[in-house]
Amino acid sequence: AGARLGARMLCHGEPGYPAWLTGLPDAPPLLWALGDPAALERPLIAIVGARNASSLGTRMTRALARDLAAEGFTIVSGLARGIDTAAHLASCDSGTIAVMAGGLDVIYPAENTELGRKITGKGLRISEQPFGMEPRARHFPARNRIISGMAQALIVVEAAVKSGSLITARAALDQGREVMAVPGHPLEPRASGCNQLL
């Protein structure tokens, strides 16, 4: 199924496998990749945050992703709605990487189908799951460790105290990555996780 879609298999320890992932104890033995492998050759920075992002959070994400892409970084995120979507959209033209929770042929959420297709023009969609796999709850924390593990640093834009974004931040800290957070208003629940990180 992978070859039919034009996807490549990236095997641990072989050329083309994301360099920053190789040293992790729980690195995926193989990844499926669809798109332009050149996106992996630039320094990688991950941006994650709330699905129900505020307009200010979305604007901040777009500015960060656009400026970092202009400086030669590839933006890595998870193709979720909200902050992830803003990060991918702002860096799509220079090449962004979407790490998916399900199979490469199952774009979730469905509203990001067109974005998913656009990403493979100059960037990559990556997954450790087999083709046809619908994303389940347990797949998201597993995906998050790849998002943080691939990148040299992680930026959290908006996140509640109990959120997938903070799970990603904890994974990044465990992996020895630099974690940065955008501060928010003390009374804004979507900023509470970022404020706690700071």
Side-chain angles (χ1 to χ4, degrees):
R4 199 167 62 241
L5 273 174
R8 281 179 312 283
M9 196 187 279
L10 308 178
C11 297
H12 189 280
E14 291 184 9
Y17 188 88
W20 282 78
L21 276 182
T22 50
L24 300 184
D26 59 351
L30 68 88
L31 292 164
W32 286 103
L34 185 63
D36 185 353
L40 282 168
E41 290 163 14
R42 296 187 292 274
L44 309 179
I45 295 239
I47 299 180
V48 298
R51 285 179 167 83
N52 62 334
S54 69
S55 59
L56 281 174
T58 306
R59 238 166 60 208
M60 182 73 194
T61 303
R62 282 201 301 260
L64 281 168
R66 193 177 53 243
D67 292 353
L68 285 164
E71 290 296 322
F73 290 92
T74 293
I75 303 301
V76 182
S77 198
L79 200 61
R81 59 176 62 99
I83 298 298
D84 291 21
T85 295
H88 289 309
L89 282 169
S91 57
C92 221
D93 291 340
S94 53
T96 180
I97 296 174
V99 184
M100 297 171 59
L104 282 186
D105 53 341
V106 185
I107 294 181
Y108 177 86
E111 69 206 51
N112 276 346
T113 301
E114 194 44 50
L115 173 59
R117 285 202 194 104
K118 193 178 173 200
I119 284 170
T120 54
K122 289 189 176 171
L124 279 175
R125 293 204 325 262
I126 281 180
S127 178
E128 68 175 327
Q129 301 301 338
F131 282 80
M133 174 69 78
E134 293 281 342
R136 302 269 180 264
R138 69 176 186 280
H139 295 147
F140 289 92
R143 174 206 62 179
N144 294 349
R145 88 188 193 288
I146 298 174
I147 293 172
S148 57
M150 281 180 70
Q152 60 197 72
L154 171 77
I155 302 171
V156 185
V157 179
E158 277 184 335
V161 171
K162 288 190 159 93
S163 65
S165 301
L166 281 207
I167 292 172
T168 312
R170 275 194 292 277
L173 290 167
D174 289 345
Q175 293 161 340
R177 305 296 184 256
E178 194 173 344
V179 175
M180 294 166 271
V182 175
H185 193 282
L187 299 179
E188 166 60 77
R190 284 175 290 207
S192 55
C194 290
N195 292 341
Q196 194 180 71
L197 278 172
L198 293 165

